[in-house]
Amino acid sequence: MKQFILFLIFFTIAGSAILFYTFLSQPHETEKAKKKPLTLTYKDPYVTKDVHNHENIAHISKSASSKTDNDAQKPKAQHRTESTPRTRVEQSHNTHIEPRPSYDRRVLEKLFFEEVNRQRLINDLEPLEFRKDLARTARKYSEELAMNAKQNPHYDPRTATVELRHFGATFGMTVIERLAYKKVYDVSRAGENILSLPLDISTYAPDGTLIKRTWRTNEEVVTDGVRRWMLSSAHRANILTPTYTHTGVGVFRLDNVLVVTQIFITKASCGYYKGPCCETTDACFTGFYCDTDRDTPECRMEE
């Protein structure tokens, strides 16, 4: 009996020891929770990763929130694909450009002649007579002024400007010399009006694109030109000089600009080169002499 009690005690102690060892060898649930890594999956449009601690969770959440706010403020960029080709946007203008008309030189010259004579009649003066040799001289001078402008390296056809000057030309420094070059000698006094004016009315965009162009009629051009002359005291004086008897008008077109020259003269009846000598002490103009050795005395150039 005594032995049985000792065996029971031994068996109880051994069993308790085994249970205690088993309990110690297995971790507690709380320790499992502490030792087991916390795995969370955070998915957003920018970051997809496993987060193993609360600091990373806070950092990524803050970053994602910032990006989400920015995305709400900024429109999403449209990515170029084959189905959405990139196209260049050009600035468009509503244009109105009339075709260039043909201006007849002879019509313009005739209209200028008539309008100037109309101004003389308004002021109770005799109309001027038209002379072709004066018109040819005037036309040549208009052409020379235009060609000098075109040879300028800064010349722009869109805004063509012509330098107007009465002195200096390849065929004479003054109007008297130019007339003599053209063999017009019967002149006791001469005057000259010159003018350049646009044939069109154009409008350009800030980038230089022509958006509107209209063309003036012959009558509009002539009326504007003579009006400008009448507003200038020197040009008006030439038009309204009572002693002038003859005139000639010559025009030349340079791109969209018209150059006009009008010559006025007082016709001499004597004293000019190859003309009859005057029955006065000064039989001929300065620079000429009266050659009486001829059958009909005439003025010749002094040698």
Side-chain angles (χ1 to χ4, degrees):
M1 186 67 180
K2 186 179 180 178
Q3 292 179 349
F4 175 77
I5 293 173
L6 290 174
F7 175 78
L8 182 62
I9 293 171
F10 175 79
F11 180 79
T12 302
I13 293 172
S16 299
I18 292 172
L19 291 175
F20 184 75
Y21 177 79
T22 303
F23 176 81
L24 292 179
S25 63
Q26 293 183 358
H28 192 269
E29 290 296 329
T30 304
E31 292 180 359
K32 276 186 177 182
K34 290 182 180 179
K35 291 183 180 180
K36 184 178 180 180
L38 177 63
T39 301
L40 298 176
T41 302
Y42 179 84
K43 295 182 180 180
D44 76 359
Y46 302 94
V47 179
T48 301
K49 59 185 292 186
D50 291 340
V51 182
H52 300 289
N53 56 62
H54 295 285
E55 292 180 359
N56 283 344
I57 292 175
H59 173 72
I60 294 175
S61 297
K62 182 178 180 181
S63 175
S65 175
S66 175
K67 289 180 180 180
T68 304
D69 293 340
N70 291 338
D71 287 347
Q73 297 176 3
K74 297 182 181 179
K76 293 184 179 180
Q78 181 179 1
H79 298 285
R80 182 174 178 240
T81 63
E82 293 300 326
S83 59
T84 57
R86 182 178 300 173
T87 58
R88 182 180 179 184
V89 179
E90 299 287 351
Q91 184 179 6
S92 60
H93 303 288
N94 294 325
T95 60
H96 173 73
I97 303 174
E98 295 180 357
R100 178 181 296 180
S102 58
Y103 290 96
D104 191 321
R105 169 184 59 79
R106 292 167 297 181
V107 172
L108 287 167
E109 292 174 352
K110 182 176 182 293
L111 289 174
F112 267 103
F113 168 72
E114 292 175 349
E115 181 61 20
V116 167
N117 268 343
R118 191 177 74 85
Q119 295 297 326
R120 286 177 66 90
L121 291 172
I122 291 173
N123 290 273
D124 299 326
L125 297 174
E126 291 294 324
L128 302 171
E129 294 183 32
F130 184 83
R131 281 181 49 166
K132 291 183 179 181
D133 53 357
L134 300 180
R136 284 193 294 268
T137 306
R139 194 176 304 123
K140 181 172 176 60
Y141 192 51
S142 293
E143 180 180 1
E144 183 161 312
L145 291 173
M147 290 299 99
N148 288 341
K150 194 168 186 177
Q151 291 172 3
N152 189 316
H154 301 292
Y155 173 76
D156 185 352
R158 298 178 305 172
T159 57
T161 55
V162 178
E163 180 184 359
L164 303 179
R165 49 186 172 78
H166 292 282
F167 297 94
T170 58
F171 63 107
M173 286 293 295
T174 65
V175 60
I176 291 290
E177 291 181 3
R178 291 191 283 273
L179 289 170
Y181 182 88
K182 288 294 189 178
K183 298 180 170 44
V184 180
Y185 306 117
D186 57 340
V187 179
S188 62
R189 181 180 177 180
E192 182 181 67
N193 281 354
I194 53 180
L195 171 75
S196 69
L197 67 164
L199 295 171
D200 67 324
I201 301 174
S202 299
T203 304
Y204 292 87
D207 60 1
T209 303
L210 176 65
I211 58 177
K212 183 177 181 181
R213 170 172 287 162
T214 58
W215 297 90
R216 302 201 286 180
T217 65
N218 291 328
E219 291 74 13
E220 289 173 337
V221 171
V222 171
T223 301
D224 183 32
V226 176
R227 179 188 62 83
R228 296 187 188 195
W229 276 341
M230 294 299 290
L231 291 175
S232 165
S233 58
H235 295 88
R236 179 186 177 89
N238 278 337
I239 292 174
L240 301 181
T241 296
T243 57
Y244 284 148
T245 57
H246 295 77
T247 189
V249 184
V251 304
F252 187 86
R253 177 178 176 176
L254 176 64
D255 294 317
N256 301 337
V257 172
L258 187 71
V259 184
V260 187
T261 301
Q262 182 167 15
I263 297 175
F264 307 86
I265 70 165
T266 299
K267 187 180 185 311
S269 57
C270 62
Y272 55 89
Y273 179 62
K274 292 185 179 181
C277 298
C278 298
E279 297 178 0
T280 60
T281 303
D282 296 328
C284 299
F285 297 155
T286 302
F288 304 106
Y289 73 98
C290 185
D291 186 358
T292 57
D293 294 336
R294 298 174 178 273
D295 296 336
T296 302
E298 64 179 40
C299 296
R300 308 295 295 184
M301 188 171 293
E302 294 178 353
E303 298 179 356

